[in-house]
Amino acid sequence: MEVLKSRLLIRPRDVDATTAFYRDTLGLAVEREFPGGTVFFLGHGSLEVSGRGETGSSPDLVLWMQVRDLAGTLAELKAKGLEPVRDGQREPWGLDEAWIADPDGTRIVLVEVPEGHPIRTDTR
């Protein structure tokens, strides 16, 4: 299978609130809009908010977003009134992570990869 592009689709209970969260609170760039939905740019992927869900978030779904500066990102979000579900901390696997949630409760893990972590190490 050759994957050319990928995107995660979220079907929120309140499309307007969830779209505003990703656009205004998180400040994600809009990749495109269409009647009933918005697609946001997520680095190497996309996030589409469209349709209407009925059950809300599943604890089994986690959105992972790598950021350059976790402390700075958290400060910006707190200034916009968003309180983290869990503040930033170094995980046993060496990544700095904080958790936030969208209006439906979808967990979003904000990740900073510290200097010297194997993900950042060029093994060539």
Side-chain angles (χ1 to χ4, degrees), residues 73-83:
T73 299
L74 287 173
E76 287 177 25
L77 294 174
K78 287 178 181 180
K80 293 179 179 182
L82 178 67
E83 286 300 317

Side-chain angles (χ1 to χ4, degrees), residues 30-111:
V30 174
E31 186 175 315
R32 71 184 186 90
E33 294 177 290
F34 56 92
T38 304
V39 179
F40 295 97
F41 180 70
L42 280 183
H44 292 288
S46 301
L47 171 70
E48 178 179 316
V49 177
S50 64
R52 181 168 301 277
E54 296 183 22
T55 61
S57 177
S58 165
D60 297 332
L61 173 68
V62 178
L63 184 55
W64 193 92
M65 293 183 185
Q66 183 178 343
V67 299
R68 289 190 193 281
D69 176 10
L70 183 59
T73 299
L74 287 173
E76 287 177 25
L77 294 174
K78 287 178 181 180
K80 293 179 179 182
L82 178 67
E83 286 300 317
V85 173
R86 194 192 77 185
D87 271 317
Q89 66 184 46
R90 176 78 38 100
E91 298 295 341
W93 44 90
L95 298 175
D96 296 336
E97 296 185 2
W99 299 350
I100 61 173
D102 76 5
D104 274 336
T106 300
R107 186 176 354 141
I108 301 166
V109 179
L110 302 175
V111 179

Side-chain angles (χ1 to χ4, degrees), residues 1-8 44-46:
M1 176 173 76
E2 181 182 8
V3 178
L4 301 178
K5 182 157 174 69
S6 64
R7 134 168 118 215
L8 173 67
H44 292 288
S46 301

